[in-house]
């Protein structure tokens, strides 16, 4: 039973790697914004990319989501959540765009 409980939790090495990656992924866009020598498009793309990578780091190193048998339902629930949020956001933008188009006629 102790082996099963240890499998659900990460090792100190995994937590340390995740923590260091999280700090690096936070400092990169912060440093770029504070220096002010970059274009707006560059800043937005770097912030977006580092945010996505940050989410992956959090999911893998701290929430321990992987392709193992124990994590199958967690991955399914996460995928369903992302799909639902995407449908809501895309649908909302689509409806607002349609309304905007019809208001301009």
């Amino acid at each position: 039973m102790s082996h099963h409980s240890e499998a659900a939790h990460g090792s100190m090495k995994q937590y340390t790697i995740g923590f260091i990656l999280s700090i690096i992924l936070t400092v990169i866009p912060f440093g770029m914004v504070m220096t002010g020598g970059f274009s707006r498009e560059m800043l937005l793309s770097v912030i977006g990319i580092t945010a996505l990578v940050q989410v992956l780091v959090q999911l893998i190193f701290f929430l321990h989501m992987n392709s193992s048998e124990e994590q199958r339902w967690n991955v399914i629930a996460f995928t369903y959540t992302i799909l639902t949020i995407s449908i809501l956001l895309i649908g909302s933008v689509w409806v607002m765009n349609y309304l905007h188009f019809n208001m301009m006629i």
Side-chain angles (χ1 to χ4, degrees), residues 11-27 54 57-58 61-62:
S11 65
M12 187 65 154
K13 180 181 176 182
Q14 285 179 321
Y15 285 124
T16 305
I17 291 171
F19 180 68
I20 290 170
L21 285 174
S22 294
I23 290 174
I24 291 169
L25 290 169
T26 302
V27 168
Q54 180 81 266
V57 167
Q58 298 293 323
F61 287 101
F62 297 114

Side-chain angles (χ1 to χ4, degrees), residues 75-85:
V75 172
I76 290 171
F78 179 73
T79 305
Y80 176 75
T81 302
I82 294 299
L83 181 65
T84 303
I85 290 171

Side-chain angles (χ1 to χ4, degrees), residues 29 32-33 35-47:
M32 288 179 70
V33 169
T35 57
F38 300 96
S39 68
R40 180 179 173 93
E41 292 80 21
M42 177 71 146
L43 286 174
L44 289 175
S45 62
V46 168
I47 290 171

Side-chain angles (χ1 to χ4, degrees), residues 60-80:
I60 293 169
F61 287 101
F62 297 114
L63 295 178
H64 311 295
M65 291 183 82
N66 53 31
S67 60
S68 69
E69 189 72 28
E70 297 91 18
Q71 293 295 319
R72 178 177 289 156
W73 285 108
N74 289 338
V75 172
I76 290 171
F78 179 73
T79 305
Y80 176 75

